[in-house]
């Protein structure tokens, strides 16, 4: 084997080793970010620990949009005061008690499901984690899409947050 080939092979091996080290470093940083995200999502840890990365990102985005929704409502009406995660959950639980025979779903004006109570499984057969961050249009019949768009458009025009009462008896 010639000296030039040995040098090329050595350089190639160094590049491969450098590439492997860079990939390990990237994966390590990514794991740290997802660990931090899993601690910030306001769901039980035993539920969050089994989520895949895509679901974790979807739920994080839904939670951030929910915080923005309540922040906008607080700015306009100043009735919620400074909302913490615990206060937000209590406020949503109050809506649940009012819903009686149903579930509570918070939907953004674009149709994204920002929050849904965990008792949705009894009604739709889908878990809370499966529904949050999805589009309401993926969960409803196509015949109902126009009516939903009208409701969401009116909501966006009139005020940022509105309660619509639904129950299984309707």
């Amino acid at each position: 084997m010639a000296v030039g080939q040995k040098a090329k092979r050595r350089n190639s091996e160094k590049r491969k080793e450098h590439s492997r080290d860079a990939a390990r470093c990237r994966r390590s940083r990514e794991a740290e970010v997802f660990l931090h995200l899993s601690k910030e999502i306001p769901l039980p840890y035993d539920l969050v620990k089994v989520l895949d990365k895509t679901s974790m990102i979807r739920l994080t985005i839904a939670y951030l949009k929910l915080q923005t929704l309540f922040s906008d409502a607080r700015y306009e009406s100043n009735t919620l005061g400074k909302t913490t995660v615990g206060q937000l959950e209590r406020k949503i639980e109050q809506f649940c008690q009012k819903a009686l025979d149903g579930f509570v779903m918070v939907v953004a004006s674009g149709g994204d499901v920002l929050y849904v109570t965990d008792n949705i499984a009894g009604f739709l057969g889908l878990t809370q984690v499966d529904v949050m961050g999805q589009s309401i249009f993926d969960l409803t019949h196509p015949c109902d899409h126009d009516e939903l768009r009208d409701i969401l458009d009116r909501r966006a025009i009139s005020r940022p947050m509105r309660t619509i009462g639904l129950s299984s008896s309707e």
Side-chain angles (χ1 to χ4, degrees), residues 1 14-15 18-19 30 34 54 56 64-65 73 78 81 89 92 101-102 106 112 116 122-123 126 142 150-151 161 170:
M1 196 181 287
K14 286 182 181 179
R15 279 194 308 268
H18 180 69
S19 177
E30 182 181 276
F34 279 101
T54 305
M56 198 172 301
L64 291 172
K65 286 181 178 179
N78 211 12
E89 288 174 353
I92 290 172
D101 192 25
V106 179
D112 293 335
V116 65
F123 295 93
L126 299 169
D150 289 343
I151 291 170
M161 187 166 61
E170 288 184 351

Side-chain angles (χ1 to χ4, degrees), residues 85-167:
V85 171
Q87 291 169 332
L88 181 63
E89 288 174 353
R90 281 191 296 279
K91 190 76 169 168
I92 290 172
E93 289 303 317
Q94 290 172 355
F95 288 139
C96 288
Q97 292 171 359
K98 289 180 183 176
L100 297 175
D101 192 25
F103 56 94
V104 175
M105 181 181 286
V106 179
V107 181
S109 58
D112 293 335
V113 177
L114 302 180
Y115 181 82
V116 65
T117 53
D118 59 358
N119 66 337
I120 191 171
F123 295 93
L124 299 183
L126 299 169
T127 66
Q128 178 185 36
V129 172
D130 291 336
V131 175
M132 285 177 54
Q134 299 292 337
S135 172
I136 188 74
F137 300 107
D138 294 339
L139 304 170
T140 55
H141 192 276
C143 293
D144 297 325
H145 290 184
D146 289 337
E147 184 178 354
L148 276 171
R149 278 191 194 89
D150 289 343
I151 291 170
L152 293 172
D153 287 343
R154 278 185 280 160
R155 188 181 95 187
I157 292 169
S158 64
R159 54 187 172 165
M161 187 166 61
R162 186 175 94 185
T163 304
I164 300 173
L166 299 173
S167 74

Side-chain angles (χ1 to χ4, degrees), residues 12 21 36-37 39 47 50 52 55 58 67 75 83 95 102 112 130-133 135 140 142 145 151 158 168 170:
S12 175
D21 289 343
H36 179 70
L37 275 178
K39 291 177 181 177
L47 181 65
V50 297
D52 59 12
S55 295
R58 180 175 44 83
Q67 286 292 83
Y75 178 76
T83 306
F95 288 139
D112 293 335
D130 291 336
V131 175
M132 285 177 54
S135 172
T140 55
H145 290 184
I151 291 170
S158 64
S168 60
E170 288 184 351

Side-chain angles (χ1 to χ4, degrees), residues 22-93:
R24 274 189 215 107
C25 183
R26 248 188 333 272
R27 285 192 301 271
S28 174
R29 279 186 273 152
E30 182 181 276
E32 288 174 15
V33 167
F34 279 101
L35 178 64
H36 179 70
L37 275 178
S38 70
K39 291 177 181 177
E40 297 297 321
I41 296 175
L43 293 172
Y45 179 72
D46 58 334
L47 181 65
V48 173
K49 72 181 180 182
V50 297
L51 293 176
D52 59 12
K53 292 175 182 177
T54 305
S55 295
M56 198 172 301
I57 290 171
R58 180 175 44 83
L59 290 172
T60 301
I61 290 170
Y63 174 68
L64 291 172
K65 286 181 178 179
L66 183 65
Q67 286 292 83
T68 302
L69 176 72
F70 279 112
S71 172
D72 291 347
R74 182 176 51 234
Y75 178 76
E76 284 197 10
S77 64
N78 211 12
T79 58
L80 293 175
K82 192 161 179 95
T83 306
T84 64
V85 171
Q87 291 169 332
L88 181 63
E89 288 174 353
R90 281 191 296 279
K91 190 76 169 168
I92 290 172
E93 289 303 317

